[in-house]
Amino acid sequence: MSATFLGMPGSFPENSREAVQNSQLRFNLRKATHTIRDKRASVVGELPDWQELRAAGKAIKDHTLRNLDRYLIQLEAAVTEAGGTVHWARDAAEANRIVTDLVKATGETEVVKVKSMATQEIELNQALAEHGITAYETDLAELIVQLGDDFPSHILVPAIHRNRSEIREIFLDKMPHVSADLTDDPPALTEAARLHLRERFLRSKVAISGANFMVAETGTLVVLESEGNGRMCLTLPETLISVVGIEKLLPSWRDLEVFLQLLPRSSTGERMNPYTSMWTGAVEGQEFHLVLLDNGRTDVLADEVGRQALRCIRCSACLNVCPVYERAGGHAYGSVYPGPIGAILTPQLRGMSSELDASLPFASSLCGACYEACPVAIDIPEVLVDLRAKAPHAAAEKAGMKVAGWILNDHERLARAQRAATRVRKLVPKRLPGPLSAWTDTRDLPEIPEESFRDWWERNERA
């Protein structure tokens, strides 16, 4: 996953400035996130045992991660026994090479895709394009993003930053055989997309998918979706390649039952998602390949605090309640994983060597709304604070706080520092120079008073 994903190498505050100043974008985000979270609150409120389900989801994920090596071996054996082929990818480059070689072996130059944030993480579409292979997204929102030469800004609704008038213009400009009379009425836009995608489904011989869950005991993969495109992608092509992060594993079918209640309610605000597709190994007339992706996940697993991010089931509930995401939008995070979960997952997967990734743990008010909404109880604020302490500039910050503590712990030192500050108050710039400029880029530097309160008090007491 490139550190300059989306072409945004700057820090989170720099990247978010445009969104914060765009009133239409803020309106789109607010309307969409509030609608989804209100639906979620309604269906979650119907379950008296929601907190017990949440605790069960957390416990199952924690158990799986503690025994991940054993369950991955069990999964590989089950998939292989069912006629599938399992490939192991240490990083993005290896995963892209495996998938590219598999597609090239079929002789095809086109693939259809469904439900795979992992392939966005490794930038698979770009890797395929370098070898003359075109990947077509089939999720409606992903299709909008792809046709608009855009980037996803939400885990569940990647085109959340677009309104229907903008979508109409994209379809008219980029979608072949679309009537010039196309309106921005949602049914009309959906019908245009359906006709466009049906042609892709019928002619494509290779499909690439992700998975919401993998069941170790049977080797079964599970995809939850709302449009039916997943069913088409998973059944029609002659070759199916699934790229899945190793953390998507569950031990048994009994465990899956818990998550089939948690995920729909937390993501789309539905009691049950419209389409649940499950497949085990290869079926008659289809070749199946499973690519198990690490790409930094074992490093995350080694972190005692940060490993809880691997419990994530990509529901996006944390995005829909986050006040920072609502104002800044998803593009500011510079990653396929935006919002609170992206602020803790991306720096762990990519490291914090870039300015952007080092700034992500600070893209939060630590209000805790994300933790309350998370269906697997990821304590995002806890991980954010832990990552802030590990950020590259944390050493300088600690040194500054040590100096401040030395001054503040002695009233005489504090008084001398205050008097010194008043003498140079006119020399202090409105914007601080060098590394300190990051502070004044997003905040006003308070004016230094002509006299400290301590000196004012002593002077007036004498009077």
Side-chain angles (χ1 to χ4, degrees), residues 25 44 63 66 96 99 174 185 257 284 304 316 321 396 424:
L25 177 57
V44 165
H63 166 78
R66 284 195 301 270
N96 287 334
V99 176
K174 297 293 182 69
D185 189 41
E257 179 266 339
E284 185 177 354
E304 292 186 4
S316 76
V321 299
V424 298

Side-chain angles (χ1 to χ4, degrees), residues 350-382:
R350 297 198 305 210
M352 288 192 282
S353 58
S354 75
E355 181 183 10
L356 171 61
D357 295 337
S359 71
L360 289 179
F362 298 86
S364 171
S365 65
L366 300 180
C367 68
C370 50
Y371 171 59
E372 296 300 325
C374 179
V376 287
I378 300 171
D379 193 341
I380 293 178
E382 179 188 30

Side-chain angles (χ1 to χ4, degrees), residues 144 146-149 162 165-180 182 189 196:
I144 293 166
Q146 185 178 44
L147 291 176
D149 295 321
R162 296 287 193 181
S165 296
E166 293 173 320
I167 295 169
R168 173 184 177 273
E169 293 302 318
I170 290 171
F171 281 11
L172 288 172
D173 184 43
K174 297 293 182 69
M175 193 179 283
H177 314 303
V178 172
S179 170
L182 179 68
L189 295 172
H196 172 75

